[in-house]
Amino acid sequence: MELRQLEHFVTVAEERHFTRAADILQISQSGLSASVRALEGELGTSLFIRSTRSVELSVAGQAFLVEALRTLASATAAQNAVAAVRGLMLGRLTVGAEPCLGSVDLPGELARFRTTHPGVDVRLRHAGSLELSEGVANGRTDVALIVSAGDPPPGIRLSQLSTQRLIVLCHPDHPFAARGSVDLASLHAESLVGFPAGWGAHVLARRGFAAAGFDYRAALEVNDVHPLLDLVGYNLGVAIVPESFAAKRPDLLRAIQIEDPMPSWTVAVAVADEPSPAATAFLTQLAGGQPAVVSRATPVPQT
């Protein structure tokens, strides 16, 4: 069993697709398939349930993934330790981010980091905040820019970047547009546009609704802010979003305050308790060249 085979297995497990995994790994699909089959032969069991349209982990594959991730993380840490002794910054930096958080010019920061540390392979992935937090905990992601939406998994530390209020965006012709504020009871009766479960705005809105005795359900779900603004712009619903979203289309949409108490939209950086040298360097860069102060998050009950 080789580290290369573990990397092949993990990439297929993450992508749930051999062709996409082969593209990421920059090897042929037949070579990737042969590598995984050889690993399965050595283990004496199938790691994937294959069909013509998808690839899913088997029960054995799910168990093996946890240990494969741990092994690859340990190998990377060993390589980084040797590189540090030699005064080099090598390895990989995987950054995760929930889209449109504000607070950080992520493309600019990644470009600056790559220029400063050309020996580091920089990767970026987008997902919801809860999934990204889990990714940091299990070693798939080194640094994640997330919405602080509750008690993070064990082994994660958070550094707060910014905080803002949640507001309601609506079409100028919507009845809410003539009001200065709106309560959750009124919002509960509306068609809502929102993000999927696990994304920051969804988790915070659900928590605020629950505190007021309501269920939060978005009739129209999207995974990016621009489709959300489009749907609201066509008056197909209203959206509960951070205040900064209102500045994206100030002439086309109306921002309304929420009367009832709502959780704050707090953007934070999540890292492991013992971040890699590359992750530490990136945190220092985000902190403006000063060593980043990263502390454990205060547990917040989730709803």
Side-chain angles (χ1 to χ4, degrees), residues 186-303:
S186 299
L187 283 171
H188 181 254
E190 290 291 322
S191 175
L192 298 174
V193 183
F195 296 104
W199 290 54
H202 182 107
V203 175
L204 297 179
R206 184 182 176 196
R207 184 179 302 154
F209 270 58
F214 302 112
D215 290 331
Y216 170 78
R217 296 184 184 278
L220 304 170
E221 282 193 355
V222 297
N223 60 3
D224 187 76
V225 64
H226 299 292
L228 178 142
L229 298 176
D230 290 339
L231 291 169
V232 175
Y234 279 103
N235 206 10
L236 292 172
V238 301
I240 300 172
V241 295
E243 198 167 23
S244 59
F245 281 25
K248 296 182 180 295
R249 298 186 186 178
D251 298 331
L252 301 176
L253 303 177
R254 298 291 180 266
I256 311 298
Q257 302 301 316
I258 301 175
E259 296 174 3
D260 300 284
M262 289 289 285
S264 296
W265 173 276
T266 299
V267 177
V269 182
V271 295
D273 282 341
E274 298 182 5
S276 68
T280 300
F282 189 65
L283 286 174
T284 300
Q285 176 182 298
L286 291 178
Q290 300 298 320
V293 178
V294 184
S295 59
R296 289 190 180 277
T298 302
V300 179
Q302 294 199 39
T303 58

